Amino acid sequence: MIARLFVYPVKSCAGVELQQALLTETGLALDRAWMVVDARGEFVTQRERSRLALVRPQLKTKELVLRAPGMLALHMALDAVAQPAMVKVWDDVVPAYDMGDVAAQWFTDFLSLSEDGTPAPNAARYRLVRFDPQHRRLSSLKWTGGVQALNQFSDGYPVLVISEASLAFLNDKLIAAGHGAVGIERFRPNLVLSGLQAHDEDRLALMRIDAGEVPVLLKPVKPCPRCPIPNIDPVTALSSPEVSDTLQTYRQDARVAGAVTFGMNVIVVGGVGAVLRVGQALSADFDFG
């Protein structure tokens, strides 16, 4: 069953928890539709500026509102863009739309502060861009089996799925080692599933969600390798290594050359236009191949 739904309107900023979300070709509507870039047009995430975790988006009917500590709220119309731009996310150079000087100054001011809130020396300049919906950015055809799966500014796949049981299993290990439990927000899933055993999402074949007349079909294609972002506390933006260190003890995955994984990247096979809702039933066979 779908237990929780999240979208992340601005890549690497906080998520928005929803009770329902429209499924599009690129994943959940407005997921990773915006992104922060540096002066060279290259994407910026919590890996470089952990303070992005403190930027909290709110989706309203006609606007995106961004709030962050010490900042006035930034309001942007959902249908507003400024001039075209070319930006880079991982190895992909893609067309986008710059969101203008006000948004650029807002992110520059906020991200130019150090983690303790004091001005950082030699502060960089940042801009906010929006993905060009006319562009077709494909997930890795190697992992999708040749299926052309679209995504916007996500790291590489349209939807990330994690089970409640997987997080509970990790938290048991953290607590046993004397650390505090962590929330699912650190792992940035789109769909959180209940009714599974820990890491059963690793072994699911085609997933079917009962979303009304149009069946939603999601196909798991790649385990999600983990960078240090789960070490960052989403409340304070401070990083400590216990999450990665704990996962290292039991989540090295041969399918991705021994990288630590947590959650499964999935692609949209059917059901574009359907509305996903918390509480919807999900069924799938296990794939032990």
Side-chain angles (χ1 to χ4, degrees), residues 68 73 94 174 177 203 237 255 264 266 273 275 282:
V94 299
L174 286 169
R203 297 174 283 274
R255 293 172 293 179
M264 282 295 291
V266 310
V275 176
L282 180 145

Side-chain angles (χ1 to χ4, degrees), residues 1 17 32 35 70 79 97 105 107 121 134 144 156-157 166 175 185 194 199 226 228 247 253 258 273 275 277 281-282:
M1 184 176 77
E17 186 164 7
R32 277 84 169 191
M35 180 173 73
D79 60 356
Y97 290 98
Q105 192 63 54
F107 274 98
Q134 299 302 312
T144 67
Y157 298 88
S166 298
I175 292 168
E185 293 82 2
S194 61
H199 301 294
R226 287 300 174 172
L247 289 173
D253 196 323
V275 176
R277 293 182 174 87
L282 180 145

Side-chain angles (χ1 to χ4, degrees), residues 35-45 48-49 84-90 92-96 98 104 108 123-129 153:
M35 180 173 73
V36 179
V37 298
D38 62 18
R40 298 172 297 175
E42 295 191 5
F43 76 120
V44 178
T45 72
E48 300 81 33
R49 300 299 295 137
M86 295 297 294
V87 299
K88 187 174 183 180
V89 52
W90 295 111
D92 296 332
V93 176
V94 299
D98 189 280
T108 296
R125 305 290 297 179
Y126 300 98
R127 300 196 73 84
L128 183 68
V129 298
F153 286 136

Side-chain angles (χ1 to χ4, degrees), residues 2-286:
I2 298 177
R4 302 175 75 180
L5 282 168
F6 293 90
V7 297
Y8 306 86
V10 183
K11 184 177 180 67
S12 222
C13 294
V16 178
E17 186 164 7
L18 303 172
Q19 291 300 302
Q20 63 181 48
L22 177 69
L23 184 67
T24 74
E25 282 188 304
T26 59
L28 302 186
L30 297 180
D31 188 58
R32 277 84 169 191
W34 292 265
M35 180 173 73
V36 179
V37 298
D38 62 18
R40 298 172 297 175
E42 295 191 5
F43 76 120
V44 178
T45 72
Q46 292 180 38
R47 300 172 185 86
E48 300 81 33
R49 300 299 295 137
S50 64
R51 285 174 62 81
L52 282 170
L54 304 179
V55 177
R56 303 204 166 274
Q58 180 183 12
L59 289 169
K60 296 191 173 182
T61 304
K62 294 184 178 181
E63 66 177 3
L64 172 68
V65 182
L66 301 179
R67 293 183 170 85
M71 303 290 293
L72 294 175
L74 176 64
H75 293 253
M76 296 180 296
L78 291 179
D79 60 356
V81 294
Q83 67 271 18
M86 295 297 294
V87 299
K88 187 174 183 180
V89 52
W90 295 111
D91 293 330
D92 296 332
V93 176
V94 299
Y97 290 98
D98 189 280
M99 295 302 297
D101 291 341
V102 173
Q105 192 63 54
W106 193 91
F107 274 98
T108 296
D109 290 346
F110 183 65
L111 295 179
S112 295
L113 298 177
S114 300
E115 277 64 23
D116 61 2
T118 59
N122 303 317
R125 305 290 297 179
Y126 300 98
R127 300 196 73 84
L128 183 68
V129 298
R130 183 165 185 175
F131 192 84
D132 181 350
Q134 299 302 312
H135 180 69
R136 292 173 57 86
R137 180 176 176 239
L138 298 180
S139 301
S140 167
L141 294 174
K142 169 189 171 183
W143 285 98
T144 67
V147 176
Q148 294 194 354
L150 304 182
N151 60 93
Q152 296 195 66
F153 286 136
S154 65
D155 276 356
Y157 298 88
V159 179
L160 179 63
V161 173
I162 297 176
S163 70
E164 291 180 325
S166 298
L167 179 67
F169 190 76
L170 168 62
N171 278 331
D172 286 345
K173 289 183 173 293
L174 286 169
I175 292 168
H179 304 298
V182 298
I184 198 70
E185 293 82 2
R186 293 194 185 215
F187 296 95
R188 309 178 67 76
N190 297 113
L191 273 63
V192 181
L193 304 182
S194 61
L196 296 174
Q197 299 297 313
H199 301 294
D200 270 355
E201 61 269 31
D202 289 3
R203 297 174 283 274
L204 295 182
L206 189 68
M207 299 187 296
R208 181 186 179 102
I209 299 172
D210 182 7
E213 295 182 1
V214 180
V216 171
L217 302 175
L218 302 176
K219 181 182 179 182
V221 293
K222 184 185 180 183
C224 183
R226 287 300 174 172
C227 67
I229 286 180
N231 289 328
I232 298 171
D233 186 330
V235 176
T236 66
L238 299 178
S239 180
S240 54
E242 60 268 15
V243 173
S244 289
D245 288 351
T246 302
L247 289 173
Q248 189 74 30
T249 66
Y250 74 104
R251 287 298 300 167
Q252 296 185 51
D253 196 323
R255 293 172 293 179
V256 285
V260 169
T261 66
F262 197 90
M264 282 295 291
N265 291 300
V266 310
I267 61 174
V268 181
V269 177
V272 169
V275 176
L276 301 186
R277 293 182 174 87
V278 170
Q280 283 174 337
L282 180 145
S283 60
D285 292 328
F286 284 100

